[in-house]
Amino acid sequence: MISYLDLTGVSGAAYRFARIENARPPTAHSGLYLYVREEADAAPAVLFLGETENLMTGAAGRWAEAQAKHGATALFTRLHVGAAARRFGISQPAASQ
């Protein structure tokens, strides 16, 4: 069971997605999500990539269907980074001093 999944976009940039335990995102932030099928002797298979304004409702919306019809075993998410942060290359808030 992996904790993170890195995908490469068309531009060549890498995007890191974090596993969400119990397929219940803890935040209502907007972001991207992946339904993934993991198998013991194979690389994880991305079944679906979606985007939502609210990860709590959007990412979980079709989870049961993804499990039943496609064998999804894990949900991964990536929060959207604000435009200003992207412009200045900031991906994480600075630690308080």
Side-chain angles (χ1 to χ4, degrees), residues 40-57:
D41 296 331
V46 176
L47 304 172
F48 181 78
L49 181 139
E51 182 175 23
T52 183
E53 291 297 318
N54 181 334
L55 285 167
M56 290 178 87
T57 58

Side-chain angles (χ1 to χ4, degrees), residues 25-94:
T27 180
H29 290 349
S30 63
L32 302 172
Y33 62 97
L34 305 172
Y35 293 157
V36 174
R37 182 177 54 236
E38 295 176 301
E39 297 177 9
D41 296 331
V46 176
L47 304 172
F48 181 78
L49 181 139
E51 182 175 23
T52 183
E53 291 297 318
N54 181 334
L55 285 167
M56 290 178 87
T57 58
R62 298 184 74 184
W63 176 246
E65 177 185 358
Q67 288 180 297
K69 290 186 177 180
H70 306 287
T73 58
L75 173 66
F76 289 78
T77 64
R78 175 180 170 81
L79 298 179
H80 280 314
V81 177
R86 284 194 303 272
R87 191 169 33 254
F88 292 104
I90 300 167
S91 61
Q92 296 287 331

